[in-house]
Amino acid sequence: MDKLTVMVAVVLAGGFGIAGWQFLQPAAAPTGHSMTPPDISEVAEGAPIAEVSLPEELSGNAQLGKKIFEAKCSSCHGQSAAGQNGVAPPLVHKIYEPSHHSDMAFVAAAQNGVRSHHWDFGNMPPVEGVTPGDVKMVVAYVRELQRANGIE
């Protein structure tokens, strides 16, 4: 046998050996985020899910966002975005921190609705009658609430 044939055979045998070894290893646990919702089984139906501390003052954009939130969002997400058990999640929660849900994720959710993926409240429908600019003001309000509650 020539050297090239031996080298090809060794490389192939090594590749099959590594592939077989990996196949026989136990499956790794799925990787994903660690953003799990809290246990809310003891929270009364319709009651706030989060305890929200209010900032001393809001910026101008957040003040406008608060008004829009109260008109369009609070019926589901509760007063001060504390959520309502059985209805909708709190937006003042680590799950919605900027590094996990960007400002644009809020805009997309309001425009298009969003499939349930963290909480078991069902899918969120699109929010009628709000513009992307309105949602950006709501996001300013939510982010200021989050910062006041240690969510950066």
Side-chain angles (χ1 to χ4, degrees):
M1 253 200 276
D2 65 3
K3 290 181 182 180
L4 180 60
T5 304
V6 171
M7 282 179 41
V8 169
V10 168
V11 169
L12 285 174
F16 283 119
I18 290 170
W21 179 78
Q22 288 181 342
F23 179 75
L24 295 174
Q25 296 302 306
T31 57
H33 62 79
S34 62
M35 303 281 188
T36 55
D39 176 12
I40 56 174
S41 61
E42 301 296 318
V43 178
E45 193 77 14
I49 296 169
E51 214 173 287
V52 178
S53 298
L54 302 176
E56 289 185 27
E57 60 183 285
L58 295 170
S59 69
N61 285 349
Q63 288 175 23
L64 181 57
K66 179 181 181 194
K67 290 178 183 174
I68 298 165
F69 181 89
E70 289 171 346
K72 295 291 187 173
C73 311
S74 66
S75 61
C76 293
H77 288 286
Q79 185 177 7
S80 303
Q84 293 187 82
N85 193 15
V87 182
L91 300 177
V92 180
H93 189 278
K94 183 172 177 55
I95 287 175
Y96 299 102
E97 69 184 1
S99 66
H100 190 66
H101 283 90
S102 71
D103 294 358
M104 288 311 296
F106 282 87
V107 174
Q111 273 187 317
N112 307 317
V114 67
R115 185 175 45 85
S116 178
H117 59 287
H118 288 295
W119 305 81
D120 294 327
F121 297 123
N123 298 337
M124 178 182 145
V127 180
E128 298 295 324
V130 294
T131 67
D134 293 337
V135 179
K136 288 177 185 175
M137 297 301 111
V138 169
V139 170
Y141 171 61
V142 169
R143 296 300 189 212
E144 289 186 27
L145 288 173
Q146 289 174 337
R147 283 191 294 277
N149 289 272
I151 301 167
E152 297 290 330

